[in-house]
Amino acid sequence: MFRAFKYLAAASALALAATAEARVDYAIDLTAPEHHTGKVSIDFPATAGASLDIRMPAWRTGRYNILNLANGVRGFSASDRAGRPLRWKKIDKSTWRIHRAPGTPVRVGYEIYGNELGLRTRHIDDSHAYLNPSAIFMYADSLRSDDTTVSLRVPSGWTSVSGMQSPAPHRFIAANWDVLTDSPIETGISRRFAFKEGGRDYEVVFWGDGNYDARQTVADLQKIVAQAPKIWSAYPFQRYVFIVHATDGAGGATEHLNSTVIQIPRYAFWPRERYLGFLSTASHEFIHTWNVKAYRPSGLVPYDYQRENYSDLLWIAEGSTSYFADQQLLRAGIATPKEYFGHLDDIIDGHQRRGGAAVQSVADASFDQWIGQSGDRARNSEVDIYDQGEIVSWILDIALLERTGGRVSYRDVHDALYKRFPSTRRGYSSADVLQILQELTGSSWNDWWARYVNAPLGAVDFNSLLNPVGLKLTYSNAADPKPFAGWSGEQGSGGMKLTSVERGGPAWNAGFTPDDIIVAFDGKRVTNDRFGAALAERRPGATVTVTYFRRDQIGQKTLKLGASSGDASVGPIDNPTAAQKALFQRWLLVTYPGA
């Protein structure tokens, strides 16, 4: 018995020693990509215990939804290094339990299917492969901190790039699983550009053809990354990669530790408004390299890849990032002040048309992001952490500037978060943010937080927000308000099928709902080419009898039209004071327009 105990103790010690020096080796064969598949193999080092649980993440960072990424796995197998099969069983949707003698290294293999771009997880075809490791490679919790390598076998003529270190073509290394899984790989036929800025190395990779000017885009990206020191006092990376997909049927972008992937319809890089939208997205994702990657809320530290990671501060992670993104374009000299004001116009209009702003707080929206709805229900019962978070960030920034006479801005708060809460060790809470605010200003922000973060924001006095920095808000139809029903729909030969009805608007109060089909006003049929003009002929306050179909049954309701002042327009006031100009400059770090 003593001898057996000695033997087991020695075996355990060897296994633990092996683990301390362990390395997990990943490989994927992409040499037959026509059917959107790759063959994955992983070598896990020896560990103690009679079984090893191998897992595929249930979600990927940057998208707060359960995606069940194991759904692309087929043909799973497990063996020892000599190729002898090991017994295994799948114990839940994302976990495979492998049985082996303690201290036995494990090799697993499986086919992975990748034919989607929209979620930015995995896409494999005969021109490239985009590999988000969290959607490609499995991991073992007990080996999550060990070194990793990745090797790719690819068709002739392909090149491979990632934010990870690359000691050889098609080969990458990462310090641990968390670095690997947050470092996507783009391999295939692409155009690559490189530049240096601020002592850092940058690379821009374009996959796909489109109406983009690659060299101009790279030049503008260089201007954007040069603005980072305006917010943070240091960098969390030495090398950074922009991966740009010019494609069809997919859009969006995702931030990563050392890179970003941005997807845009191939002919949506122009005209200028669309190009600025692309650059705004690039700025947003680059800012995430600090805000979310270098520091993030405590509910996301460390990442749990198997379940939801709840936080009531996602509005800072996403909304504050959006708030800074277009400011970076302005500071870089890419966008004009008028174009930046146009961005403010859009978020003001969006807020004023969002019924959910009176219902849900930005803190609750953050926590519920994992179960957020879409469409009409979302607009009327929820707020968006991006748009609403941007407005709350804006309100906080102006409040900081006013309370400190321009000495402290919201940028200072984010630099403090970066310095104090490295995501490799700990995350921050609401109490931590409030503590930073108090330290920076010498006063409490508890009441402000209760009003703007923990309670529904509701109506915002935007002129009061704009006046301290010498700006004002006007409306296109202020002198002659237009009739307003508060609905939108799809027009067809049979009428207009409602797609949304705004909470608290005339149509809402009259009892209309999405999927109602409007066919007549005041007893007169409205044809397709006259639908838009039919209500415009009325005046605000007018009463209209609306005939509609619901569940194929005809009905009538009385609609009292409201008044619309038109689109928002932000611009300079007529006679700004020196103090307003100074606060404007401290706010945006550019000169007041016309000064």
Side-chain angles (χ1 to χ4, degrees):
M1 186 174 182
F2 176 73
R3 288 182 62 191
F5 178 80
K6 267 182 69 176
Y7 172 79
L8 289 173
S12 297
L14 286 172
L16 291 173
T19 301
E21 301 173 357
R23 191 180 76 189
V24 183
D25 293 320
Y26 294 89
I28 183 168
D29 187 328
L30 298 166
T31 53
E34 293 84 1
H35 300 294
H36 314 294
T37 59
K39 295 180 179 179
V40 176
S41 64
I42 313 171
D43 284 329
F44 293 100
T47 58
S51 65
L52 181 67
D53 286 353
I54 308 298
R55 291 176 163 174
M56 180 70 85
W59 67 292
R60 64 154 177 80
T61 64
R63 185 181 180 96
Y64 309 105
N65 299 112
I66 295 298
L67 301 175
N68 296 319
L69 297 171
N71 60 11
V73 175
R74 294 294 183 271
F76 182 88
S77 66
S79 66
D80 62 17
R81 293 288 175 84
R84 292 183 290 265
L86 296 173
R87 184 168 57 90
W88 60 271
K89 182 179 181 180
K90 192 173 183 181
I91 61 172
D92 63 33
K93 65 181 180 180
S94 301
T95 307
W96 289 255
R97 178 164 291 166
I98 301 170
H99 300 276
R100 81 283 192 266
T104 300
V106 171
R107 174 172 292 167
V108 303
Y110 51 89
E111 179 185 86
I112 194 76
Y113 179 77
N115 188 28
E116 75 81 27
L117 279 171
L119 294 177
R120 295 171 297 286
T121 51
R122 52 194 179 223
H123 185 255
I124 302 168
D125 68 15
D126 58 0
S127 69
H128 91 134
Y130 173 73
L131 309 175
N132 183 319
S134 61
I136 302 292
F137 299 129
M138 299 181 185
Y139 71 101
D141 274 321
S142 60
L143 299 169
R144 187 165 156 175
S145 62
D146 291 334
D147 292 343
T148 65
T149 69
V150 181
S151 299
L152 286 72
R153 289 189 62 204
V154 298
S156 176
W158 282 24
T159 58
S160 302
V161 64
S162 174
M164 291 183 284
Q165 297 180 50
S166 180
H170 313 299
R171 183 173 172 82
F172 303 96
I173 58 176
N176 52 55
W177 160 259
D178 290 280
V179 174
L180 167 64
T181 198
D182 221 348
S183 304
I185 300 168
E186 174 71 25
T187 182
I189 302 167
S190 57
R191 301 176 66 187
R192 298 172 62 175
F193 299 82
F195 65 86
K196 289 183 177 292
E197 181 62 46
R200 265 71 190 164
D201 296 312
Y202 295 86
E203 192 164 356
V204 185
V205 181
F206 295 90
W207 169 68
D209 296 325
N211 64 343
Y212 57 84
D213 181 330
R215 295 193 180 280
Q216 181 62 55
T217 301
V218 172
D220 286 334
L221 290 175
Q222 183 167 4
K223 294 176 184 178
I224 290 170
V225 303
Q227 305 309 309
K230 303 287 179 59
I231 304 175
W232 300 282
S233 53
Y235 288 82
F237 62 86
Q238 182 58 44
R239 179 171 172 271
Y240 189 88
V241 179
F242 290 93
I243 301 169
V244 181
H245 290 163
T247 183
D248 296 306
T254 300
E255 72 278 2
H256 293 282
L257 278 176
N258 44 37
S259 54
T260 182
V261 56
I262 304 169
Q263 296 179 163
I264 181 171
R266 64 180 74 253
Y267 297 115
F269 291 85
W270 207 253
R272 179 171 172 79
E273 181 179 354
R274 286 189 168 189
Y275 180 59
L276 288 178
F278 163 76
L279 291 180
S280 175
T281 299
S283 178
H284 178 106
E285 303 309 326
F286 182 66
I287 289 167
H288 266 319
T289 318
W290 287 263
N291 185 22
V292 169
K293 294 306 174 184
Y295 58 93
R296 57 181 179 262
S298 55
L300 283 73
V301 178
Y303 286 129
D304 183 336
Y305 296 104
Q306 297 304 315
R307 56 187 56 84
E308 296 87 347
N309 291 217
Y310 294 107
S311 170
D312 60 359
L313 293 171
L314 290 183
W315 69 270
I316 292 181
E318 295 294 347
S320 297
T321 300
S322 294
Y323 176 65
F324 288 134
D326 283 82
Q327 292 182 3
Q328 297 286 70
L329 302 190
L330 178 63
R331 292 178 194 131
I334 296 171
T336 66
K338 184 177 180 180
E339 287 169 329
Y340 177 71
F341 298 157
H343 168 71
L344 298 182
D345 298 343
D346 290 341
I347 64 172
I348 291 170
D349 280 334
H351 176 75
Q352 293 178 334
R353 300 292 295 272
R354 184 115 189 181
V359 179
Q360 188 181 48
S361 72
V362 74
D364 288 343
S366 295
F367 194 86
D368 286 344
Q369 181 68 18
W370 294 89
I371 57 170
Q373 301 184 71
S374 60
D376 184 74
R377 174 63 177 168
R379 285 188 292 271
N380 285 317
S381 66
E382 300 176 354
V383 292
D384 182 271
I385 59 171
Y386 295 82
D387 297 341
Q388 194 83 342
E390 180 168 3
I391 292 172
V392 173
S393 300
W394 180 15
I395 295 170
L396 179 53
D397 200 4
I398 298 300
L400 283 164
L401 290 164
E402 283 195 285
R403 194 177 292 195
T404 64
R407 179 177 57 84
V408 176
S409 79
Y410 193 40
R411 297 184 299 276
D412 300 304
V413 176
H414 278 263
D415 193 39
L417 288 170
Y418 173 54
K419 291 174 180 176
R420 298 186 192 184
F421 297 97
S423 60
T424 53
R425 296 202 297 272
R426 58 177 179 153
Y428 62 85
S429 66
S430 296
D432 294 320
V433 180
L434 285 165
Q435 178 65 29
I436 289 172
L437 289 169
Q438 180 160 356
E439 290 176 9
L440 289 172
T441 64
S443 59
S444 171
W445 289 77
N446 290 336
D447 291 344
W448 186 95
W449 201 266
R451 164 64 185 89
Y452 293 103
V453 176
N454 291 337
L457 188 55
V460 174
D461 185 347
F462 285 103
N463 264 315
S464 293
L465 186 62
L466 291 163
N467 183 262
V469 291
L471 300 177
K472 63 181 178 181
L473 177 62
T474 58
Y475 290 92
S476 57
N477 298 327
D480 183 22
K482 304 302 180 184
F484 170 69
W487 62 27
S488 59
E490 298 173 347
Q491 298 181 8
S493 58
M496 181 175 71
K497 184 176 183 178
L498 298 184
T499 55
S500 67
V501 178
E502 295 181 23
R503 175 185 286 271
W508 176 283
N509 294 335
F512 288 99
T513 188
D515 294 330
D516 287 348
I517 300 175
I518 312 302
V519 295
F521 299 145
D522 292 336
K524 296 179 181 179
R525 182 184 176 206
V526 182
T527 58
N528 185 34
D529 60 349
R530 286 277 298 150
F531 233 112
L535 282 185
E537 294 171 353
R538 275 69 169 180
R539 299 297 300 170
T543 298
V544 183
T545 300
V546 180
T547 305
Y548 67 100
F549 279 98
R550 179 182 294 173
R551 298 186 299 274
D552 293 331
Q553 293 180 317
I554 197 165
Q556 284 189 338
K557 291 184 182 295
T558 299
L559 174 69
K560 184 178 181 180
L561 295 173
S564 171
S565 297
D567 297 330
S569 179
V570 171
I573 62 176
D574 292 335
N575 297 297
T577 66
Q580 287 172 314
K581 292 180 180 179
L583 208 63
F584 178 95
Q585 184 163 355
R586 177 60 179 147
W587 171 41
L588 295 176
L589 303 182
V590 298
T591 304
Y592 187 85

